[in-house]
């Protein structure tokens, strides 16, 4: 029984290692899209926008 549980744990860790980068990329993409939408929804003049871009 111990050998079987060890195999299940190793298999689970392998699946987690394989899936983690894909899930992290999806979450980051989702968050970045929200931030870009928030930025585009801000009403500001061209001068204010140029100053903000110069800061970045």
């Amino acid at each position: 029984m111990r050998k079987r549980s060890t195999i299940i744990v190793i298999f689970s860790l392998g699946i987690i290692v394989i899936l983690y980068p894909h899930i992290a990329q999806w979450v980051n993409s989702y968050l970045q899209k929200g931030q870009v939408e928030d930025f585009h929804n801000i009403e500001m003049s061209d001068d204010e926008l140029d100053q903000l871009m110069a800061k970045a």
Side-chain angles (χ1 to χ4, degrees):
M1 190 67 179
R2 178 156 168 81
K3 184 177 181 180
R4 186 176 195 184
S5 63
T6 303
I7 291 172
I8 291 172
V9 169
I10 291 172
F11 179 78
S12 299
L13 288 174
I15 292 294
I16 290 170
V17 167
I18 290 171
L19 291 180
Y20 175 77
H22 301 286
I23 293 170
Q25 183 179 12
W26 179 79
V27 168
N28 286 331
S29 175
Y30 177 78
L31 293 174
Q32 286 175 353
K33 285 179 185 176
Q35 289 176 346
V36 169
E37 287 176 8
D38 290 344
F39 178 76
H40 286 295
N41 290 335
I42 296 173
E43 297 291 328
M44 64 176 77
S45 68
D46 288 338
D47 291 334
E48 290 173 334
L49 183 60
D50 289 339
Q51 288 175 354
L52 185 61
M53 294 302 286
K55 273 186 180 178

